[in-house]
Amino acid sequence: MSATHLTDRRPEVGPDELVAAMCPPPRFDGVRFDTYLPDPAQPSQAAALTACREFARRVGAGRARRSWWQTLTGAGRQATGRPGLYLDGGFGVGKTHLLAAVWHEVPEPRAFGTFVELTHLVGALGFGETVRRLSGYSLLAIDEFELDDPGDTMLVTRLIAELTSAGVCVAATSNTLPDRLGEGRFAAGDFLREIHAMAERFEIVRVDGADYRHRGLPDAPPPVSDAELAARADAVAGATIDDFDALCTHLGTLHPSRYGRLVDDVSVVHLRGVRPAGGQDVALRLVSFADRLYDRAVPVVVSGAPVSELFTEEMLRGGYRKKYLRAVSRLIALSRGSAEPEQDGVRAARAGRTRPA
């Protein structure tokens, strides 16, 4: 067999498909509150689990009250208490697992997406149409919440205000407290009123712990030679192989909302000649690409530089540091998966929990 190339693919995703795809990625299909195993050494994890269970209960109860109120008046009605739950913590402590468990627990209709996917949805539908479509939902779950520029700040704070006023509950995860979003990226001080107004809508829950992806596990395998890379790609059904620079160029021709469709049916991604990203724009596309690979648990094999060197020291000192570190963590896990072909749940269980984020 011969491996195919991601650079030959030009997937299309329509607005209706974007809305229909607002659900947890395949990696989190089976997660529930009962499959989250708090680390006994980190009491905040058990506390976060309790807070998420209670929030999901309130969403369900609020949905019932809202349906009754709408039947009488045709209006939305917000659930009792703050309409938002905000899970703050480091990488790999189970925040996305808990967020997906909340989503699975609450009544339909409900939406789940990363912060980037949400902004892509607004870009595709327009602000008013996005509000119209989501206003009847019980929950909007936003993973990896981050504000990278003033435009995103105004867009998301306004969207959350509109939806929560319509009775939609919002749950989010992030590595940054909501009143500190945007720090190091733009003049956050100019937008403090909007940022603080958004933060007041959330109950903040801290989740502490070490990154499960690296807890007690070996380092990622070293890069292979170009010859071995080609041989491995040809030996696996559904594998792809691409020159790293060519893939970076190709990603620049696609809207990031298409990256998931780009790798939907791929078994293993092989990248030849990996090197540090050639600029901030390229690096941020690689972050989005890595997230979609991780969502789908697609293993990665590389030649050239190791994935841990994908982002330069200068990039890791800048405002997007947390995005880059998250991408490295995920790519190391995916690289390890290519050398150790186990089910993801088995690897996660060995790390001390079942399929966290």
Side-chain angles (χ1 to χ4, degrees):
M1 67 188 76
S2 179
T4 60
H5 308 288
L6 294 176
T7 51
D8 291 336
R9 303 182 177 198
R10 297 200 65 84
E12 296 290 337
V13 183
D16 289 339
E17 291 180 275
L18 287 175
V19 176
M22 294 287 283
C23 60
R27 175 182 289 273
F28 299 102
D29 282 348
V31 304
R32 299 294 188 273
F33 289 133
D34 288 343
T35 64
Y36 182 82
L37 305 179
D39 183 346
Q42 301 291 341
S44 66
Q45 293 186 11
L49 176 60
T50 298
C52 288
R53 285 184 186 274
E54 173 59 21
F55 180 75
R57 187 198 63 75
R58 285 197 290 114
V59 173
R63 178 68 176 179
R65 287 194 300 271
R66 180 183 174 194
S67 298
W68 173 81
W69 184 252
Q70 285 177 316
T71 300
L72 292 179
T73 68
R77 184 178 179 183
Q78 195 167 288
T80 303
R82 292 192 179 188
L85 177 72
Y86 194 97
L87 300 175
D88 175 69
F91 309 115
V93 295
K95 300 188 305 297
T96 305
H97 181 129
L98 290 170
L99 187 69
V102 169
W103 185 90
H104 283 296
E105 187 76 12
V106 303
E108 297 181 345
R110 59 209 174 180
F112 182 108
T114 65
F115 177 81
V116 172
E117 288 171 331
L118 182 61
T119 58
H120 292 165
L121 181 69
V122 176
L125 297 180
F127 184 86
E129 180 64 10
T130 301
V131 171
R132 187 188 72 79
R133 292 203 185 203
L134 297 183
S135 287
Y137 281 40
S138 65
L139 173 75
L140 173 61
I142 309 172
D143 199 19
E144 300 157 15
F145 199 111
E146 193 54 90
L147 300 179
D148 297 326
D149 58 52
D152 282 347
T153 300
M154 302 302 292
L155 174 72
V156 176
T157 54
R158 183 182 168 204
L159 181 65
I160 289 176
E162 293 272 354
L163 292 178
T164 53
S165 295
V168 182
C169 291
V170 178
T173 73
S174 181
N175 304 304
T176 306
L177 290 170
D179 61 352
R180 300 188 66 182
L181 289 166
E183 285 188 0
R185 290 168 175 75
F186 58 89
D190 295 340
F191 299 90
L192 282 178
R193 183 177 65 181
E194 289 81 3
I195 292 173
H196 287 165
M198 182 182 68
E200 289 174 357
R201 297 174 185 266
F202 289 97
E203 172 191 354
I204 301 171
V205 176
R206 179 72 186 176
V207 190
D208 296 308
D211 190 336
Y212 85 95
R213 287 181 288 264
H214 308 305
R215 194 163 59 238
L217 295 177
D219 292 335
V224 301
S225 67
D226 287 349
E228 182 179 349
L229 188 81
R232 291 177 63 167
D234 287 340
V236 179
T240 62
I241 185 168
D242 292 272
D243 289 327
F244 177 73
D245 286 345
L247 178 64
C248 289
T249 299
H250 187 58
L251 292 177
T253 69
L254 301 175
H255 193 278
S257 63
R258 303 182 188 181
Y259 291 178
R261 181 67 58 82
L262 185 68
V263 297
D264 263 347
D265 59 349
V266 174
S267 59
V268 185
V269 165
H270 297 78
L271 298 178
R272 181 168 41 228
V274 168
R275 63 187 182 90
Q280 204 87 265
D281 55 342
V282 175
L284 290 172
R285 290 186 202 114
L286 289 170
V287 169
S288 293
F289 182 65
D291 286 342
R292 303 293 77 78
L293 290 174
Y294 187 75
D295 287 347
R296 290 154 178 79
V298 179
V300 175
V301 185
V302 304
S303 70
V307 294
S308 58
E309 297 178 9
L310 197 56
F311 307 108
T312 66
E313 288 297 323
E314 181 180 2
M315 291 176 180
L316 294 176
R317 289 194 299 267
Y320 298 107
R321 167 184 170 82
K322 290 182 178 179
K323 284 181 179 286
Y324 297 146
L325 290 176
R326 185 187 74 234
V328 167
S329 173
R330 291 181 165 186
L331 287 169
I332 287 175
L334 294 174
S335 296
R336 187 185 298 121
S338 68
E340 185 181 356
E342 298 177 285
Q343 293 296 316
D344 181 71
V346 175
R347 289 197 302 273
R350 179 191 298 179
R353 64 174 71 246
T354 303
R355 298 178 74 180

